[in-house]
Amino acid sequence: MELIQNTADLSAYLAADEAIDHHHPVVRETAAKLAAEAADSYAYARAAFDFVRDAIPHSADVGDPRVTWRASDVLALGTGICYAKAHALTALLRAEDIPTALCYQRLAHDDGAGHAVHGLVAVRFHGAWHRQDPRGNKPGVDARFSLDGERLAWIPDPAAGEADHPVLYAAPHPRVLDALKAAPDRSHLWKTLPDTL
C-alpha cells in the first residue's frame, strides 16, 4: 500500500496542536528522559514507541474508564485507547523533530458486530514513511517498532470489511477527535467510535 500525505508540507508533520501538544512540560520532560539514553534519532524513536506501547496501558485492556485525547494527558494519567496512545507517541517524536503522521485502519470489533477505526502512527526515516502501532501488546497482539517491514497489531482482512487507510494525517482526524472529546467515559466512547473515515 502506498501511503499518501494529506499535505505536501513536511513541516506539518512536526507541528503542535491541541491534541499533539508537544510543547507541554509533561511531553518535554518525558522526551528528555527518553532522549538522554538514546544514541541517535532511530534509538530515540524506538524508545519512545516502546515507552508508549508498554508503560501506558490501553485503557480497555486494564478496565480504565477514563478517556484521554491530549498527548500530555495520556502521559500524565498513563492511560488511553489506540488514538490517544498514537497522539502521545506523535507528540514525543515531534518533540525531537521526527516527522510523524497519524494514520488509521478499519477493523472489525472483537465480537464481529460492526467495525471501528483503529489509530496508528507513521514515522519518516530514510526518506519514507513507516507505520507503527503503539496500542499495547496482549495475547494475540505483538506489535513492534520496525523500519524494515511492518510489525503492526493487526493486518486488515478485506473479506471481513477491514481496510488500511492510506492517508497520513498531520493532525488527528476530526471524527476521531470529536468522538474522544465528547465521551464522558470509555463505555460511552465504545458506542460512538467512528466506523469509517
Side-chain angles (χ1 to χ4, degrees), residues 3-178:
L3 299 174
I4 305 163
Q5 293 179 206
N6 77 326
T7 175
D9 181 7
L10 199 57
S11 69
Y13 297 97
L14 293 169
D17 60 33
E18 64 173 342
I20 314 300
D21 57 342
H22 64 75
H23 298 305
H24 191 283
V26 170
V27 178
R28 288 293 176 180
E29 289 165 16
T30 305
K33 287 178 189 171
L34 294 168
E37 298 184 14
D40 55 31
S41 61
Y42 307 111
Y44 173 80
R46 181 182 304 278
F49 172 86
D50 289 347
F51 176 80
V52 173
R53 183 194 63 190
D54 300 339
I56 300 171
H58 190 289
S59 54
D61 292 350
V62 295
D64 191 327
R66 295 174 294 173
V67 175
T68 53
W69 57 271
R70 187 177 285 117
S72 57
D73 291 338
V74 176
L75 296 173
L77 298 174
T79 191
I81 68 163
C82 61
Y83 309 134
K85 292 183 67 161
H87 298 171
L89 180 55
T90 298
L92 288 172
L93 294 171
R94 290 183 184 182
E96 291 295 315
D97 296 319
I98 298 170
T100 307
L102 295 153
C103 47
Y104 303 94
Q105 296 174 315
R106 181 177 194 249
L107 300 173
H109 286 294
D110 290 341
D111 61 7
H115 295 82
V117 173
H118 173 62
L120 329 162
V121 306
V123 295
R124 189 163 178 88
F125 280 116
H126 310 303
W129 291 99
H130 307 271
R131 294 191 305 167
Q132 316 293 331
D133 190 343
R135 165 240 184 264
N137 289 339
K138 63 179 185 174
V141 176
D142 185 25
R144 296 175 187 259
F145 184 85
S146 176
L147 301 179
D148 182 27
E150 293 184 336
R151 296 291 305 271
L152 305 178
W154 292 284
I155 298 170
D157 177 5
E162 298 180 335
D164 280 312
H165 289 281
V167 178
L168 301 174
Y169 295 92
H173 192 282
R175 292 193 69 194
V176 166
L177 203 53
D178 289 348

